[in-house]
Amino acid sequence: HPYHVQWVQSLSANDFRPRRRFCEWLVRRSDQNLLFHCEILMTDECCFTRNGILHFHNTHHWAEVNPHIIHQSHFQHRFSINVWVGIIVSHLVGTFVLPARLTEENCLNFLCVHLLGLLEEIPLAIRRNMWFTLVVRNLFNTTYGHRWIGRGGPTAWPPPSPDLNSCDFYLWGYMKSMVYQTPVNNQDLLNRIVMAAERIRNDQDQLTRVSRSLLRRATACIRANGGHVKRLL
């Protein structure tokens, strides 16, 4: 039987303890509040380019004779779109197109001006208890006190841990599989991203399962003593 390789980010000797410490904190909070892990707004940014990510080992064309299909790559004219999204319970927040060069000033402008508008679609009961995974310290210390997770924050996010962020272990790969089904041009790329996001947004059952899987992932990380989490939802 063929088995797919699970790509993971390499861990150094100093990464295991922070990952386990964070997961133990998450499990403790979830023991006190059974829905705590579903109250965390997981956020991330991703750059979509013209080429995208194409998995040729899953791409086949069935025919009686070899059609000698080719795929063009390494285009001379390149373009990209930097996209932000968030996931909390059954809700997909965004998409929002960020500047190509993300600075602290751009990030602050997004958080102060645009994020509140994006969060209006989230029920107030969820927003009142919501935790953030973001990295602008002064703003979040002032606005949300201890209720944010990030590097240098009141609750430290353990790098590198994409296997604990639903945007990384679920959203981006699924979205890109839809966006890059066929070659794209610069006018079509943003439309495809928006359409893929809408398709994901409408599958609330799947988003709920993804959010709830965080606790299982944290438990698996503890069992692995801070090591990688095996593929699961």
Side-chain angles (χ1 to χ4, degrees), residues 63-173:
E64 294 184 355
V65 295
N66 189 348
H68 299 289
I69 292 176
I70 63 174
H71 174 79
Q72 299 183 58
S73 62
H74 302 294
F75 296 94
Q76 182 177 0
H77 302 289
R78 298 179 180 272
F79 50 85
S80 63
I81 298 176
N82 197 21
V83 177
W84 178 96
V85 297
I87 295 178
I88 182 168
V89 198
S90 60
H91 301 276
L92 179 69
V93 184
T95 59
F96 185 85
V97 177
L98 294 169
R101 185 172 178 270
L102 189 60
T103 64
E104 183 175 356
E105 181 180 357
N106 292 334
C107 190
L108 281 171
N109 179 66
F110 163 69
L111 295 173
C112 296
V113 178
H114 301 287
L115 180 59
L116 292 179
L118 293 172
L119 293 177
E120 288 181 355
E121 299 180 1
I122 306 302
L124 181 60
I126 296 178
R127 277 184 282 161
R128 283 175 175 171
N129 298 315
M130 186 165 55
W131 283 62
F132 289 83
T133 55
L134 291 168
V135 292
V136 183
R137 301 179 190 176
N138 293 336
L139 173 67
F140 273 76
N141 284 333
T142 302
T143 308
Y144 299 105
H146 67 284
R147 290 188 298 112
W148 67 278
I149 302 168
R151 297 184 184 181
T155 300
W157 178 262
S161 298
D163 52 345
L164 300 176
N165 188 327
S166 53
C167 296
D168 284 311
F169 68 73
Y170 160 72
L171 180 68
W172 296 129

